[in-house]
Amino acid sequence: MTDPARITLQLAALFYLAAFVVSWPVSTKRFVFPFLFFAALGCNSFTIYSRYMQSWPMLPMHLGALALPLCLALMLAFLGGLRAFTHWFVLRLGLLLCVALIVVALLFPKDFYLPFLKSKTYLSHAFLWFALFAKGACAISALWALSAWPFATALPENIRPLTALKHSLGWAALGFGLWTISMFCGELWCYLGWGTPVVWQDPALTLTLAGWFFYACVLHLHLTKSWNLQLRAAFIGFGGLVVLAMSCLPDFGPFRPVVLP
Amino acid sequence: MKSRRTSLWHRLGSINLTIVLCIVLTMDLIWGYFCLERKTPIFTPLNDMGLWAWSKTYGLYNLQHTGWFFLLLVLLTAFSLNTFVCTTNRVQQLFASRRGGGQWLGKLAPHVMHYALIVILLGYLCSYLFTDVLTGRTLVPGSSLSLPDTGGTVSLLAYEPDYYHGKRLAFFDDAVITARFRLQLDDGNSQREAVLSCTRPVRFQGYSLHLKNFAPKKKGGMNRKTRVDLSIRKDPGVGIYLVGMGLFSLGLLLYFFDWVMIREKHSS
């Protein structure tokens, strides 16, 4: 299959992986990191552009698994202050997550569904993109929590884990807000298109709601601090990744071997 | 007796209960995904039949696939109660120690979202319990249908589709890209025209008319006759959950305004 979108997606995975490799402190080629990172962003963007061109003004079906790495990488680019160790830790884990998502999307593609007329509304696009950026922010929140978790007892004065969890809270709050807006857009779209607040033909809605409740729980945990720091970090880190992986599940299809260009 | 009631009230409003309920809700909804994916047809009639009729038929006869849904209803009820009690307690405290305009509003934001969530859930419940649904209503050009208990009639005047011509959407060549149906709405005293399309329902006499299906979908081809299948609903819950969504958005806006403008300013 010589679909350009598929080729650029494979290239994006390679660039993300290369950026991950050169991001290690032992690497002498760290100066090439921005070039590889932006090349990966470019390839990933082209894939999305290409899929959008095949369905606009309707919504491309099951774009989530391909577009989530792009949203995650764009948000990682806003992490700022890349000198601090935890930032690099989060960045590296984020890049690995991007590679993993793309590899799974390449092996289990779901690109055989045609767009449908009822998705020809701005609300459907807003529903998709707010959800993707929400998942990106929630993934970064989970990665910040993971960066706090293994060192929570080893570090003196517990300063770094606390700071990492504070960052995690910020990203979780942003993710929760975007997730809520996405759900509202989805509900309005449902009402206009089908006359009901929920379309039961789409099982993915339950996972969207599951993610929303999980992040509502995360925010309450952060605000009340009712669990100790390590437990909170583990719950937000591992739990967040599991919930996000589950929310991507509907975008994956049956196994198909990767054909290299 | 009074102290027992107070103790129950405080337990019901516990934030630890919120956390437990959120975790159980998350797990229940993940379970629901697998049930819904395998047995989607069991859940599809829920929108047309309403919660009560669906529960007595599809719901109770397929408990192994619908159990998660009934558990969801119980958990959402508990979650709403917990949210209401917890928020009411905190709002009372907040009003008692009221000072400082902007900061106070920022502190009120989460409570606005909490109440809004309850309003949204009530709207959904209302929608699934009290909606009148008229299914299987089809119009062809020149035909009309009447809306029960209103004296209003709806007729189809014309079908005005836009066809896609181009190479970008190969599978849509010569297919309808915008389906517009011009309807005449007659309430007995006056008449007006309205346009119905895929994501543009028509509201008339308390009912909303939604496009369910239509024909023809392609130019030429089988040359099928024009028809539009409608889903007609009288849903008292829509207004409630729309108000809830508006309130929640307002709370979210206040919260982020407080976060960005006030807390960041203080921390810097």
Side-chain angles (χ1 to χ4, degrees), chain A residues 165-237:
Chain A
L165 269 189
K166 198 185 154 207
H167 284 299
S168 173
L169 168 65
W171 284 102
L174 177 66
F176 180 78
L178 293 172
W179 204 302
T180 308
I181 297 170
S182 159
M183 276 174 40
F184 285 173
C185 290
E187 280 157 29
L188 286 174
W189 175 29
C190 272
Y191 173 68
L192 294 178
W194 292 266
T196 57
V198 175
V199 175
W200 291 101
Q201 285 92 327
D202 184 8
L205 72 101
T206 52
L207 294 178
T208 306
L209 206 55
W212 190 85
F213 275 113
F214 179 81
Y215 278 94
C217 178
V218 165
L219 292 183
H220 282 87
L221 266 180
H222 267 304
L223 297 173
T224 56
K225 296 179 179 58
S226 48
W227 294 1
N228 71 43
L229 199 131
Q230 274 182 311
L231 196 58
R232 245 185 299 153
F235 177 76
I236 298 163

Side-chain angles (χ1 to χ4, degrees), chain B residues 57-111:
Chain B
T57 52
Y58 289 89
L60 286 177
Y61 285 97
N62 298 282
L63 263 181
Q64 71 273 35
H65 305 295
T66 57
W68 72 274
F69 183 78
F70 290 112
L71 180 62
L72 179 72
L73 294 181
V74 173
L75 289 171
L76 285 176
T77 309
F79 187 73
S80 302
L81 272 173
N82 169 253
T83 307
F84 178 76
V85 175
C86 180
T87 306
T88 305
N89 285 343
R90 279 157 202 267
V91 166
Q92 273 177 346
Q93 286 169 12
L94 200 65
F95 271 92
S97 61
R98 185 181 165 177
R99 61 184 125 81
Q103 238 176 330
W104 186 79
L105 262 181
K107 280 184 183 165
L108 197 66
H111 308 305

